[in-house]
Amino acid sequence: MKKSEKVLLGLFAALFLVLIGGGGGMLAFKNYLEVREEVASLRDRLADMNLAISQGAEWADRQSWLDESLPSFTSHQDASAKLLEKVMQEAEKLGLSIGGKEFVEQTQALGPDGLPVEGELGYFDQATVKTTLTGVQEQALFTWLHTLQQPKSFIGVTRVQINPSGTNKTINAEVEITQFYHEKTVTKVPKAN
């Protein structure tokens, strides 16, 4: 082999090693970066899991408080009737006359099969009553709203629309009050023959 052929062969070998070595090095570096990102995400997940474990007792206490405190009704109709009774009772105490009462049905997201989507139902069941008051004094209305808003009994004023009535400094109001609850499952006792 001539000297020029040896030099040319050496150049091609060096070029081949640079290309293959560079490509292999780039592939190794890319894999290193991916592994590093995965390790960082696993480290974050581990930190989240440790935090969840450390707070587990606190969340268990919250869940037990919720289970003890949340009202239970046998049906949506029962919850709606009790809520309407409470609304009317408090209005009567303050001398408010409720013109219109209407139960508001909860709209549920429907899936492609036409059935309610399970994940959309939420943790609480709820009953809502929409009331209309005409020509009431502001102070009496606000006292009534404050009395109805009972966080410990899971009752909340979820919508209020107030308009001046134009006479004797009174107002007209449309108010929605919601009772959050869990529906009790009634166990059926089999009949003995």
Side-chain angles (χ1 to χ4, degrees):
M1 232 201 244
K2 295 181 188 178
K3 186 176 180 181
S4 63
E5 289 175 345
K6 286 182 183 180
V7 171
L8 195 55
L9 183 62
L11 280 171
F12 281 128
L15 183 63
F16 180 76
L17 287 175
V18 166
L19 288 176
I20 296 300
M26 289 300 290
L27 182 63
F29 185 68
K30 183 179 174 185
N31 284 340
Y32 168 75
L33 290 178
E34 287 175 1
V35 166
R36 199 169 123 185
E37 286 177 20
E38 189 173 340
V39 166
S41 74
L42 287 173
R43 189 175 293 128
D44 291 342
R45 280 186 63 197
L46 182 62
D48 289 343
M49 291 168 71
N50 284 332
L51 180 64
I53 289 169
S54 70
Q55 293 177 343
E58 183 179 340
W59 283 105
D61 290 343
R62 290 177 181 177
Q63 181 65 42
S64 64
W65 174 85
L66 189 60
D67 291 340
E68 292 169 5
S69 303
L70 186 64
S72 295
F73 297 101
T74 55
S75 68
H76 179 74
Q77 291 79 12
D78 184 32
S80 296
K82 298 277 187 194
L83 177 61
L84 182 60
E85 181 182 318
K86 172 94 173 151
V87 166
M88 297 302 292
Q89 185 180 55
E90 295 300 328
E92 192 176 296
K93 284 181 187 177
L94 294 169
L96 292 175
S97 174
I98 296 179
K101 302 172 273 291
E102 174 184 341
F103 293 116
V104 178
E105 290 300 318
Q106 187 67 18
T107 58
Q108 297 178 347
L110 299 177
D113 56 357
L115 297 173
V117 179
E118 280 295 317
E120 299 290 324
L121 298 177
Y123 184 76
F124 298 105
D125 295 311
Q126 58 185 339
T128 302
V129 174
K130 179 179 171 182
T131 58
T132 306
L133 297 100
T134 307
V136 296
Q137 295 293 322
E138 281 184 31
Q139 188 59 42
L141 175 71
F142 293 133
T143 302
W144 178 66
L145 292 175
H146 179 71
T147 304
L148 286 175
Q149 184 93 359
Q150 297 283 325
K152 288 188 177 185
S153 57
F154 293 84
I155 295 176
V157 177
T158 51
R159 185 176 159 275
V160 177
Q161 181 178 350
I162 299 174
N163 297 315
S165 69
T167 57
N168 298 333
K169 296 184 180 181
T170 58
I171 56 175
N172 299 330
E174 189 174 272
V175 181
E176 286 184 11
I177 301 107
T178 302
Q179 167 77 65
F180 297 95
Y181 68 97
H182 260 310
E183 196 166 306
K184 285 189 244 182
T185 55
V186 179
T187 55
K188 294 185 179 183
V189 179
K191 294 181 182 180
N193 290 342

